[in-house]
Amino acid sequence: MDPGVIRKLDQVVVNRIAAGEIIQRPANALKEMMENSLDAKATSIQITVKAGGLRSLQIQDNGTGIRREDLEIVCERFTTSKLQAFEDLSSISTYGFRGEALASISHVAHLTIVTKTKSEKCAYKASYEDGKLKGDIKPIAGNQGTQITVEELFYNVPMRKQALKTPNEEFQRISDVVSKYAVHNPQVCFVLKKFGESASIRTQAKSTTANNISTIYGAAIGKALIPIEVKDDILQLSVDGYVTNVNFSLKKGICLMFINHRAVECSALKKAIDAIYSVYLPKGSAPFVYLSLELNPHNVDVNVHPTKHEVHFLHEEEIIEKVKLLVERALLGGNAARAYTQALLPGASQPPDSSKLNETLQGGEEKPRLDYKYVRTSHSEQKLEKFFGMSSQTNGGSQDDSEEVKEPKLTQPSPSRKKKVKKETRLTSIHNLRQRLEADCDENLRKIFRELTFVGTIDREQVLIQYDTKMFLAATQTLAAELFYQLMVFNFGNFDRLTLSEPLELRRLALQALADPESGYTEEDGSVDELADRIVEILVEKSPLLREYYNLSIRKDGFLESLPIVLENYIPSVVFLPMYILRLATEVEWDEEEECFHTFSRETATFFSRIALTKPEKEYRWEIEHVIYPAIRTHLMPPKEFAKNGCLLQVANLPELYRVFERC
């Protein structure tokens, strides 16, 4: 057999192979662009994501911008302003230096740059494909800084695109990257949001690291932080950061590690810190750790991995030992006072000696119940509101004239004495959605929600609920969004009509939504009037489907007459109706049946779940206690994701409190 002929690869193939090493998923692309923004001295970075970054990933900063004359080559490989000679690698202090980030992105996506420097009179817009400028550089109105839009990522690498996770999982990876850099750069304002939705991460400029940790990862972590700091002139090492005390633990640890301001992974250092905490924490739990190490740049090799998430440095063993001792001293010093309660996700590991506290729940032998196992709650007893001078008996419909919401009214039909016969659907797509929900249900969480006792409303986002001898903090809007989605799926084709007192013009609603900054609309999207007309056209075209399955009635002349009743005694606020109409036209996948029903139900659930943002206090408190949480108790099948996304946090456990007071 003859040997194969060795040929030189085509340059396009070479570039795509190189791009695949650097841009492995949307989060990698964002990390590269975010580091460019930080190198450009930006103090504000805003990121907008669509479909997990695969459809669109946009980052906008207020940094120094890119010069007009550099735009022609900015997306070519190995073009950079941060490196001139090979020797410069020994003292590199910026994030980027090889000049491969934008080039790699342009080889696997459609890339558009809008940029303006301080000295230029206007901004310039340029598009790129395969590392080359596509078309002319156009002058355009814009603020100082750079806006980069990456669209249809991996459109020409279908196997890579198919191998990626769901849009929600990809968005979570993006969120993780933004969270790390927001914690490490508290002087910069970071905003991350999904297209058309409110921000999921928002930090303030000139903040502090501790504040940003609390904002992003939760107040419970923020309260448990212990600062650590050391300088070693011999090792040319400076360390600062935060670790959580031994009273706090997570089911899955969080470790943020930076070396010379670069987010990296150092398995040896992480393993050493985990070994320290294993002495203090229950098995299966882990701490939150944020560490920032500054070393002499001459001692660090940053060019050992295409994505730069690994670095090599001199004196590694000595430095790890130094950090290990620093963390040990911090934990010993912060262990003087033990906390009475511990915030745990449902199902998180309990201390070994508390494993027998719930024998009655596990179906073990019946034994005399100890005092601390009695559940002291009753639905008829007083609620938390009494202690804050609020009445929990207020009917949701009664409110002062001064609190009346000035908006079109939605009216439910009078209840009929004759029970409505439920129509059963034969659509395979709906059965698939229902089976998916049932398969993903977490039975432990379901038991908690089925047997919950409502304790009281904390604010418009959180309530306290009790299950058995445990107290939980519940995120109302997250739970409500899932509840309404499941009601949309399981009641498909059986919705009553929620009638508007006066039909609303869809075009007017669309124009209101497009004027809202939350919509993400820019002049580049086209004329506002044309977009509004297109929105009306889409919804009028789909109106027969919406009327038949959801009782959402749209007239042929473009007027909205009614919405579905998703939950009895609950009426959504029409303040959010314009954005709902916009998202129905732009976010629902109308062309594929199952995806259409899924996305329509998600968008409708989001609209209905924005519970109390505009309602008077008495009304929303009544609604949450007497409508939303009874429905959660009856209908919700909590997905497995709820066990780890923080929507339900254990804040107290009666047996644990008894043990504390016994020691006192």
Side-chain angles (χ1 to χ4, degrees):
M1 186 174 179
D2 294 334
V5 179
I6 297 176
R7 299 182 183 89
K8 189 174 182 179
L9 285 174
D10 184 88
Q11 193 60 37
V12 173
V13 178
V14 172
N15 288 332
R16 285 189 189 168
I17 291 172
E21 292 178 343
I22 296 166
I23 309 302
Q24 298 169 2
R25 56 189 348 117
N28 296 116
L30 177 65
K31 176 179 177 290
E32 298 288 347
M33 295 188 293
M34 202 158 52
E35 288 178 345
N36 284 343
S37 295
L38 292 168
D39 279 341
K41 310 301 180 188
T43 58
S44 174
I45 298 176
Q46 299 186 43
I47 301 136
T48 306
V49 179
K50 201 171 187 179
L54 292 171
R55 190 179 298 177
S56 175
L57 181 62
Q58 185 182 88
I59 179 168
Q60 183 170 356
D61 67 55
N62 63 348
T64 56
I66 303 169
R67 300 189 310 161
R68 160 70 176 80
E69 51 267 36
D70 292 336
L71 284 174
E72 290 187 14
I73 64 167
V74 72
C75 282
E76 291 184 15
R77 290 190 73 191
F78 310 123
T79 55
T80 178
S81 62
K82 302 159 189 174
L83 191 69
Q84 292 182 358
F86 182 80
E87 290 74 18
D88 294 342
L89 277 173
S90 63
S91 59
I92 197 76
S93 59
T94 56
Y95 289 107
F97 52 88
R98 290 193 299 254
E100 288 190 278
L102 293 180
S104 297
I105 295 169
S106 73
H107 284 292
V108 292
H110 301 302
L111 180 68
T112 304
I113 297 177
V114 176
T115 186
K116 179 183 180 298
T117 63
K118 186 177 181 181
S119 60
E120 286 167 337
K121 294 181 180 179
C122 67
Y124 293 94
K125 179 181 179 181
S127 298
Y128 300 87
E129 192 171 308
D130 290 328
K132 301 294 182 185
L133 183 64
K134 185 180 177 184
D136 298 327
I137 299 172
K138 301 174 183 176
I140 189 174
N143 298 322
Q144 181 181 330
T146 303
Q147 176 184 291
I148 301 178
T149 306
V150 179
E151 296 177 303
E152 302 302 331
L153 189 60
F154 301 127
Y155 75 97
N156 54 1
V157 193
M159 292 305 295
R160 175 66 62 86
K161 194 170 186 176
Q162 290 172 17
L164 294 175
K165 304 293 185 181
T166 64
N168 280 341
E169 287 178 279
E170 293 302 326
F171 181 80
Q172 186 57 50
R173 291 175 183 268
I174 287 171
S175 180
D176 290 343
V177 171
V178 175
S179 298
K180 287 181 180 179
Y181 279 89
V183 167
H184 188 67
N185 298 274
Q187 75 281 2
V188 179
C189 165
F190 284 85
V191 178
L192 170 66
K193 65 176 183 176
K194 291 182 180 178
F195 179 80
E197 297 185 13
S198 56
S200 59
I201 293 177
R202 184 187 296 275
T203 64
Q204 301 298 320
K206 299 180 182 177
S207 181
T208 65
T209 297
N211 283 344
N212 283 3
I213 291 173
S214 295
T215 300
I216 297 168
Y217 293 100
I221 291 178
K223 291 176 182 176
L225 293 177
I226 304 173
I228 57 174
E229 185 178 0
V230 73
K231 287 188 179 180
D232 190 312
D233 294 333
I234 297 173
L235 292 173
Q236 295 180 293
L237 167 71
S238 174
V239 181
D240 66 85
Y242 289 91
V243 296
T244 47
N245 60 40
V246 295
N247 298 314
F248 180 88
S249 65
L250 299 165
K251 191 170 184 180
K252 185 178 180 182
I254 300 172
C255 184
L256 316 183
M257 208 163 289
F258 288 79
I259 294 180
N260 284 5
H261 307 290
R262 191 182 304 280
V264 296
E265 295 175 7
C266 183
S267 57
L269 182 53
K270 185 177 184 301
K271 190 175 179 180
I273 293 173
D274 287 343
I276 298 169
Y277 274 96
S278 66
V279 177
Y280 299 100
L281 301 183
K283 188 177 180 181
S285 56
F288 172 93
V289 175
Y290 160 69
L291 284 178
S292 175
L293 281 66
E294 286 193 53
L295 304 169
N296 186 331
H298 291 89
N299 295 344
V300 183
D301 184 358
V302 296
N303 194 35
V304 296
H305 194 279
T307 63
K308 302 191 289 287
H309 81 276
E310 291 180 14
V311 296
H312 289 170
F313 52 92
L314 296 177
H315 315 301
E316 182 173 317
E317 290 183 4
E318 293 90 336
I319 288 172
I320 289 174
E321 189 61 31
K322 188 79 175 177
V323 174
K324 185 178 176 182
L325 291 172
L326 177 65
V327 173
E328 279 185 326
R329 282 201 299 269
L331 294 181
L332 289 170
N335 195 26
R338 302 288 296 198
Y340 285 174
T341 62
Q342 189 173 12
L344 294 173
L345 289 170
S349 301
Q350 296 288 338
D353 57 348
S354 66
S355 58
K356 296 183 180 179
L357 294 178
N358 293 319
E359 286 180 26
T360 54
L361 289 177
Q362 306 300 327
E365 291 183 21
E366 288 193 14
K367 297 178 181 178
R369 204 169 208 200
L370 301 176
D371 285 346
Y372 61 71
K373 290 190 179 182
Y374 279 108
V375 181
R376 294 171 173 82
T377 60
S378 167
H379 290 286
S380 62
E381 291 179 0
Q382 58 199 16
K383 299 290 191 301
L384 187 67
E385 282 82 353
K386 178 178 179 180
F387 300 97
F388 295 94
M390 298 175 287
S391 172
S392 62
Q393 303 301 320
T394 307
N395 189 304
S398 64
Q399 51 181 313
D400 298 335
D401 293 339
S402 60
E403 293 179 322
E404 187 177 352
V405 180
K406 305 295 183 183
E407 55 185 32
K409 292 181 179 178
L410 290 158
T411 55
Q412 295 194 30
S414 300
S416 173
R417 292 185 180 180
K418 188 177 180 181
K419 192 172 182 180
K420 186 177 177 181
V421 179
K422 187 173 181 179
K423 295 183 292 184
E424 187 53 53
T425 182
R426 296 182 179 179
L427 294 177
T428 304
S429 54
I430 293 298
H431 284 292
N432 289 343
L433 292 175
R434 291 173 179 175
Q435 288 172 6
R436 204 181 305 165
L437 288 170
E438 289 167 354
D440 191 41
C441 178
D442 187 306
E443 291 301 328
N444 290 330
L445 287 180
R446 193 176 191 185
K447 183 175 179 63
I448 291 174
F449 285 119
R450 283 285 170 89
E451 300 178 18
L452 71 83
T453 300
F454 187 90
V455 177
T457 307
I458 301 297
D459 54 31
R460 293 176 184 260
E461 296 289 339
Q462 301 175 104
V463 305
L464 280 174
I465 62 172
Q466 182 171 338
Y467 164 73
D468 197 58
T469 58
K470 298 181 177 69
M471 187 82 74
F472 294 95
L473 193 64
T476 300
Q477 192 163 339
T478 303
L479 296 175
E482 185 63 27
L483 168 70
F484 285 120
Y485 172 73
Q486 293 182 12
L487 291 173
M488 291 293 294
V489 172
F490 283 100
N491 291 335
F492 180 82
N494 290 282
F495 297 102
D496 284 328
R497 181 184 176 97
L498 195 59
T499 308
L500 286 155
S501 56
E502 295 179 7
L504 294 177
E505 186 182 0
L506 287 181
R507 191 175 189 280
R508 183 181 170 192
L509 293 173
L511 289 170
Q512 288 179 5
L514 290 168
D516 189 332
E518 188 181 327
S519 70
Y521 166 77
T522 64
E523 293 180 358
E524 297 169 20
D525 297 325
S527 164
V528 173
D529 292 327
E530 290 178 1
L531 287 173
D533 291 338
R534 179 59 183 150
I535 289 167
V536 174
E537 182 184 335
I538 291 171
L539 295 180
V540 170
E541 180 187 342
K542 304 300 179 184
S543 60
L545 178 149
L546 298 177
R547 186 180 298 108
E548 179 180 358
Y549 293 129
Y550 297 105
N551 227 332
L552 193 155
S553 178
I554 296 174
R555 299 192 323 216
K556 291 183 179 179
D557 59 356
F559 277 78
L560 176 69
E561 293 184 313
S562 70
L563 296 168
I565 294 178
V566 183
L567 179 62
E568 289 294 331
N569 299 318
Y570 178 78
I571 298 177
S573 173
V574 296
V575 169
F576 304 108
L577 193 55
M579 192 59 65
Y580 173 55
I581 294 300
L582 171 64
R583 291 185 63 82
L584 286 187
T586 58
E587 299 301 317
V588 175
E589 298 289 347
W590 296 105
D591 298 329
E592 199 274 317
E593 183 179 296
E594 185 174 322
E595 193 62 19
C596 170
F597 293 142
H598 166 68
T599 51
F600 177 85
S601 298
R602 278 293 178 203
E603 293 302 331
T604 304
T606 300
F607 166 56
F608 272 78
S609 67
R610 302 178 80 167
I611 300 169
L613 301 179
T614 61
K615 295 181 180 180
E617 185 175 352
K618 292 179 181 178
E619 182 178 341
Y620 88 74
R621 286 181 179 276
W622 185 90
E623 210 166 54
I624 286 173
E625 179 179 351
H626 298 286
V627 180
I628 298 298
Y629 275 88
I632 288 172
R633 187 187 300 116
T634 306
H635 301 294
L636 183 66
M637 294 191 299
K640 292 180 175 65
E641 178 192 8
F642 279 14
K644 54 188 178 183
N645 71 353
C647 72
L648 194 66
L649 288 173
Q650 181 182 316
V651 294
N653 185 7
L654 188 60
E656 298 296 323
L657 292 176
Y658 262 84
R659 283 213 305 276
V660 169
F661 289 114
E662 282 170 1
R663 288 199 299 268
C664 295

